[in-house]
């Protein structure tokens, strides 16, 4: 029985990770494929601005879910809602692979209307996942929510690895054909087209959907205990564990779980400690999902495309790695979490300074500069990934509604971060992009 419990727990961890991976793989895939599609779509390099706005509008999904929970509590079937939005995302990704390059004339100008509409659908799915996937995870023991965040980290890593294999952004500086001794960039053709990349996205979403379907057949012990308690049954702890072997060696005890699922009064949840955790969570997501990603190219590209790729890939490896560490080292001190966040904030400030000084940041042309920027991205991403997982785990103990608010603050922080940077980057051009194969810092 012990071996069966171990195997069942391992399978459940894998399913949860794949389920979490599907939450943001769509938006992450859209961003990493921008350098390819901008060469085809009529919006050109204005496309990132369109993406930012459409992803912001995608927050209509979380708003609808949150309002429904508020005015009609317990009327929204979470499991059915997740099935619906996952199905919409799978269909949208298939249409994206087929129609992404089609253009339509709007007011006399060509626009990639099919691509933009499908981006909006996928954005609604990703944004809504934060307020549906996380509350669903309350049905599982606390350690599984850390696995869920590992999966979310993989949603950024997998598309980046595939994009590297695709050869996105590879260039070589060649002598100008003008014969004036200058260099001009030659961009290599991708190893496979954007259509294949979008079919990869489709496959990832299908795997995530099937994983969730499998999870719905897993009935955690805490759910069984809650149902039995409601029916007035006197089922024993041993009987529950035998019937539902999800509880592996590291799972929380049944007695602890029954205590967790007791409904908490609203005033009990909104303590100063929980509010502090939610605010810290919002700030963390504003930095990791909105502010810093908006300027990553400005902070890295002056040091070269390889520096940029290293920062993206190693940073995305640090994300699931930090989540994995949180499965074994869970900090419960709010003061320590604040101190850890402050350390991550220092690296965030350094990266923002580099972006502001682009295209001539310090230590340009020196390996020290490359090492500093890559290391800063790794530590920044790893620290805040750890903080987010720990806060999610602590809020899991506060009940189902706590995880709903966890998703709300994740999405609110991400939205505020993205909207605050959009005018600085796309309208006022505060940050200057380095030009390839040109000495951007010569007098």
């Amino acid at each position: 029985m012990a071996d069966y419990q171990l195997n069942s727990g391992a399978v459940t961890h894998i399913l949860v990770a794949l389920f979490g991976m599907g939450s943001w793989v769509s938006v992450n895939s859209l961003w990493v494929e921008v350098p390819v599609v901008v060469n085809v779509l009529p919006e050109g390099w204005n496309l990132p601005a369109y993406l930012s706005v459409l992803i912001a509008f995608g927050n209509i999904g979380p708003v609808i879910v949150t309002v429904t929970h508020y005015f009609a509590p317990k009327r929204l079937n979470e499991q059915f809602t997740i099935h619906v939005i996952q199905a919409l995302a799978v269909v949208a990704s298939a249409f994206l692979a087929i129609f992404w390059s089609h253009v339509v004339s709007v007011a006399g100008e060509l626009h990639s209307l099919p691509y933009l509409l499908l981006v909006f659908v996928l954005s609604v799915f990703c944004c809504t996942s934060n307020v549906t996937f996380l509350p669903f995870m309350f049905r599982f023991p606390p350690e599984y929510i850390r696995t869920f965040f590992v999966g979310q980290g993989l949603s950024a890593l997998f598309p980046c690895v595939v994009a590297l294999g695709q050869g996105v952004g590879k260039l070589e500086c060649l002598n100008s054909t003008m014969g004036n001794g200058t260099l001009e960039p030659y961009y290599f053709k991708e190893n496979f087209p954007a259509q294949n990349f979008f079919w990869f996205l489709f496959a990832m979403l299908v795997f995530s959907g099937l994983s969730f379907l499998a999870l719905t057949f897993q009935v955690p012990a805490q759910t069984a205990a809650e149902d039995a308690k409601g029916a007035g049954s006197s089922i024993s702890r041993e009987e529950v564990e035998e019937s539902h072997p999800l509880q592996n060696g590291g799972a929380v005890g049944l007695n602890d779980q029954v205590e967790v699922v007791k409904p908490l009064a609203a005033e009990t949840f909104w303590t100063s400690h929980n509010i502090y955790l939610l605010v810290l969570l919002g700030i963390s997501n504003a930095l990791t999902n909105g502010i810093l990603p908006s300027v990553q190219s400005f902070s890295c590209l002056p040091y070269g495309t390889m520096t940029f790729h290293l920062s993206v890939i190693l940073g995305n490896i640090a994300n699931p790695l930090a989540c994995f560490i949180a499965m074994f080292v869970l900090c419960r001190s709010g003061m320590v979490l604040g101190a850890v966040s402050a350390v991550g904030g220092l690296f965030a400030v350094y990266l923002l300074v580099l972006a502001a000084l682009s295209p001539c940041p310090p230590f340009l042309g020196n390996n020290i500069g490359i090492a500093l920027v890559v290391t800063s991205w790794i530590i920044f991403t790893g620290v805040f990934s750890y903080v987010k997982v720990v806060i999610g785990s602590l809020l899991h103990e506060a009940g189902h509604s706590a995880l709903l608010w966890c998703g709300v603050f994740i999405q609110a922080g991400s939205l505020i971060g993205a909207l605050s940077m959009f005018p600085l980057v796309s309208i006022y051009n505060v940050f200057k992009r380095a030009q390839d194969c040109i000495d951007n810092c010569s007098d």
Side-chain angles (χ1 to χ4, degrees), residues 198-397:
F198 291 136
W199 280 121
F200 158 77
L201 170 61
F202 168 80
M204 291 295 98
L205 290 172
V206 168
F207 278 123
S208 179
L210 292 176
S211 298
F212 174 69
L213 184 62
L215 283 174
T216 59
F217 293 100
Q218 296 274 4
V219 183
Q222 70 179 57
T223 305
E226 187 180 26
D227 294 340
K229 181 180 178 180
S233 173
S234 59
I235 194 168
S236 68
R237 173 178 178 176
E238 289 76 16
E239 289 172 334
V240 172
E241 290 182 342
E242 286 291 320
S243 301
H244 306 287
L246 181 64
Q247 305 276 19
N248 55 32
V252 175
L254 177 62
N255 293 335
D256 296 333
Q257 291 174 12
V258 172
E259 183 179 350
V260 168
V261 298
K262 289 180 181 178
L264 298 176
E267 61 270 14
T268 304
F269 170 69
W270 292 106
T271 62
S272 58
H273 179 69
N274 287 342
I275 293 174
Y276 166 74
L277 292 179
L278 288 173
V279 171
L280 188 58
L281 183 67
I283 294 173
S284 300
N285 282 275
L287 290 171
T288 57
N289 298 343
I291 296 175
L292 269 299
S294 300
V295 298
Q296 185 166 22
S297 60
F298 298 102
S299 67
C300 297
L301 282 178
Y303 297 99
T305 55
M306 181 56 66
T307 302
F308 176 71
H309 287 311
L310 283 174
S311 299
V312 172
I313 294 297
L314 296 179
N316 285 325
I317 291 176
N319 187 333
L321 181 60
C323 299
F324 184 75
I325 292 173
M327 298 179 70
F328 304 97
V329 182
L330 191 69
C331 173
R332 294 181 172 273
S333 170
M335 183 176 298
V336 174
L337 283 177
V340 171
S341 300
V343 172
L346 292 177
F347 286 96
V349 170
Y350 175 71
L351 294 171
L352 285 172
V353 170
L354 292 183
L357 295 177
S358 176
C360 302
F363 302 111
L364 189 62
N366 192 312
N367 288 334
I368 295 177
I370 296 174
L372 283 174
V373 67
V374 172
T375 303
S376 296
W377 273 106
I378 293 172
I379 296 177
F380 162 75
T381 306
V383 163
F384 282 109
S385 296
Y386 177 81
V387 169
K388 288 188 286 185
V389 176
V390 170
I391 293 177
S393 299
L394 296 179
L395 291 176
H396 180 283
E397 300 171 2

Side-chain angles (χ1 to χ4, degrees), residues 110-121:
L110 291 178
H111 287 282
S112 52
L113 190 60
Y115 175 86
L116 296 175
L117 287 175
L118 293 169
V119 165
F120 173 70
V121 174

Side-chain angles (χ1 to χ4, degrees), residues 1-2 4-16 136-145 214-224 239-252 257 396:
M1 179 58 68
Y4 177 77
Q5 290 178 345
L6 181 61
N7 292 334
S8 177
V11 170
T12 305
H13 276 292
I14 294 173
L15 293 175
V16 169
F136 173 81
M137 288 305 301
F138 179 66
R139 306 182 183 197
F140 293 86
E143 65 268 19
Y144 287 98
I145 199 163
L215 283 174
T216 59
F217 293 100
Q218 296 274 4
V219 183
Q222 70 179 57
T223 305
E239 289 172 334
V240 172
E241 290 182 342
E242 286 291 320
S243 301
H244 306 287
L246 181 64
Q247 305 276 19
N248 55 32
V252 175
Q257 291 174 12
H396 180 283

Side-chain angles (χ1 to χ4, degrees), residues 42-43 50 102-107 109-114 116:
E43 288 79 10
Y50 283 88
H102 287 58
V103 296
V104 177
S105 179
V106 179
E109 294 185 0
L110 291 178
H111 287 282
S112 52
L113 190 60
L116 296 175

